[in-house]
């Protein structure tokens, strides 16, 4: 609603954090240098979300397709996740951040899985800002795992196949318990979704910027939120209907 201040701050922002490799290449450094530099941008957006009153921030850190990258890059990313978890969780906790990891977590080795689980448990009672980290995540994987749960419910006799609906299937999608996605941001100049939140993106506003992820900061997020505030979300209705709700 134009003029409604609360409606102008998205409740749920998702970001495809892209461009680390190109950022490093410009500096004649290895790609892992760019991934490390991206940590600062993560801190910046979390701070900005806390300040702006955003309720949910979902970050794409590693896709189901990223396993296909060279072994040394995958290894460097895993090392980075471990270091980030060891270093940042206490501070996030002190700011009231609730951490959640979404994706095929079974694909990770035991020590990393344990760290992710410990971080989720440690911050489980926080509610100021939900930060979801998508790792080994794919939007198609998400739809498949939700379908599998629906099929299991049918097999147990708890759900009839003809009662599978958007609402009943949707309850098994990742993040179903959180406010719907309002604003989808991708840095790094590519205008594609790359198998991020396919189900959840249905009525999100999309925002693409050429800024490479390590350069993305609080001002960059403010700019995206300002752009979002100028959009009219019609959900299939007409502009007149939105202006004069009956
Ligand atoms: C995004 O940056 C981080 C991950 C995919 C893990 P990239 O590594 O894709 O950086 P570019 O797109 O090659 O610049
Ligand atoms: C998407 O970026 C995944 C993450 C940012 C984690 P990619 O760099 O992997 O996407 P493509 O390959 O350009 O589509
Ligand atoms: Mg990329």
């Amino acid at each position: 609603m134009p003029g409604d201040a609360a409606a102008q701050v998205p409740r749920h922002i998702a970001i495809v954090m892209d461009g680390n490799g190109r950022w490093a290449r410009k500096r004649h450094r290895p790609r892992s240098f760019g991934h490390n530099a991206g940590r600062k941008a993560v801190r910046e957006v979390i701070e900005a979300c806390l300040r702006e009153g955003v309720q949910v921030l979902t970050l794409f850190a590693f896709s189901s397709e990223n396993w296909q990258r060279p072994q040394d890059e995958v290894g460097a990313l895993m090392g980075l996740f471990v270091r980030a978890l060891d270093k940042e969780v206490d501070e996030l906790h002190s700011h009231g951040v609730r951490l959640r990891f979404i994706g095929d977590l079974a694909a990770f080795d035991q020590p990393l899985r344990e760290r992710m689980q410990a971080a989720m448990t440690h911050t489980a009672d926080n509610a100021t800002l939900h930060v979801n980290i998508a790792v080994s995540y794919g939007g198609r994987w998400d739809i498949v795992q939700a379908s599998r749960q629906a099929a299991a419910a049918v097999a147990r006799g708890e759900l009839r196949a003809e009662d599978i609906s958007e609402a009943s299937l949707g309850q098994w999608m990742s993040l179903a318990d959180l406010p719907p996605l309002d604003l989808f941001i991708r840095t790094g100049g590519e205008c594609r979704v790359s198998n991020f939140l396919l189900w959840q993106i249905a009525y999100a506003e999309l925002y693409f910027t050429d800024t490479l992820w390590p350069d993305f900061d609080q001002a960059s997020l403010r700019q995206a939120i300002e752009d979002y505030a100028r959009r009219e979300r019609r959900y299939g209705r007409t502009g007149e209907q939105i202006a004069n709700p009956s």
Side-chain angles (χ1 to χ4, degrees), residues 16-25 31 35 60-63 66 69 73 77 81 186 188 190 212-213:
V16 179
M17 308 185 288
D18 194 29
N20 297 348
R22 280 163 285 163
W23 187 90
R25 192 169 62 217
R31 296 177 58 82
H35 297 316
F60 204 8
F62 192 80
S63 74
N66 287 148
R69 290 196 177 192
E73 181 170 349
L77 281 164
F81 295 155
R186 180 168 185 146
E190 312 290 359
L212 302 173
W213 177 247

Side-chain angles (χ1 to χ4, degrees), residues 87-220:
K87 277 195 124 179
E88 316 278 359
V89 173
D90 284 338
E91 167 144 21
L92 292 172
H93 180 57
S94 72
H95 286 102
V97 169
R98 178 170 183 176
L99 270 174
R100 188 187 300 184
F101 293 88
I102 60 165
D104 182 13
L105 305 188
F108 295 102
D109 66 18
Q110 187 70 18
L112 185 46
R113 268 204 329 258
E114 278 170 10
R115 277 179 170 85
M116 292 191 282
Q117 193 50 59
M120 288 194 269
T121 308
H122 187 48
T123 61
D125 294 331
N126 295 337
T128 309
L129 171 67
H130 290 258
V131 174
N132 309 303
I133 317 275
V135 282
S136 194
Y137 177 89
R140 288 177 172 176
W141 166 86
D142 205 352
I143 293 168
V144 168
Q145 67 79 23
S147 308
R148 218 177 266 149
Q149 295 195 59
V154 171
R156 287 194 303 269
E158 294 164 11
L159 179 69
R160 295 187 314 166
E162 56 270 35
D163 289 337
I164 294 180
S165 61
E166 291 186 18
S168 67
L169 187 57
Q171 71 180 310
W172 285 297
M173 297 289 165
S174 299
L175 313 179
D177 57 321
L178 296 172
L181 182 58
D182 291 318
L183 175 59
F184 172 99
I185 298 173
R186 180 168 185 146
T187 65
E190 312 290 359
C191 295
R192 55 178 173 251
V193 174
S194 297
N195 198 17
F196 197 20
L197 304 159
L198 298 181
W199 176 278
Q200 298 85 345
I201 216 170
Y203 261 108
E205 295 296 325
L206 309 183
Y207 179 88
F208 297 96
T209 170
D210 288 335
T211 303
L212 302 173
W213 177 247
D215 292 327
F216 198 83
D217 60 12
Q218 301 199 32
S220 317

Side-chain angles (χ1 to χ4, degrees), residues 7-80:
Q8 291 172 8
V9 174
R11 283 198 295 170
H12 185 168
I13 299 178
I15 309 181
V16 179
M17 308 185 288
D18 194 29
N20 297 348
R22 280 163 285 163
W23 187 90
R25 192 169 62 217
K26 283 211 267 182
R27 288 159 181 79
H28 310 286
R29 302 295 296 270
R31 296 177 58 82
S32 57
F33 184 70
H35 297 316
N36 275 310
R39 266 174 77 175
K40 178 170 169 286
V42 172
R43 282 195 292 269
E44 291 266 328
V45 293
I46 291 175
E47 253 179 65
C49 285
L50 285 164
R51 214 193 34 230
E52 303 270 356
V54 172
Q55 295 172 28
V56 186
L57 174 67
T58 301
L59 299 172
F60 204 8
F62 192 80
S63 74
S64 42
E65 289 73 30
N66 287 148
W67 289 111
Q68 300 169 72
R69 290 196 177 192
Q71 199 103 65
D72 62 340
E73 181 170 349
V74 172
L77 281 164
M78 296 303 137
L80 173 66

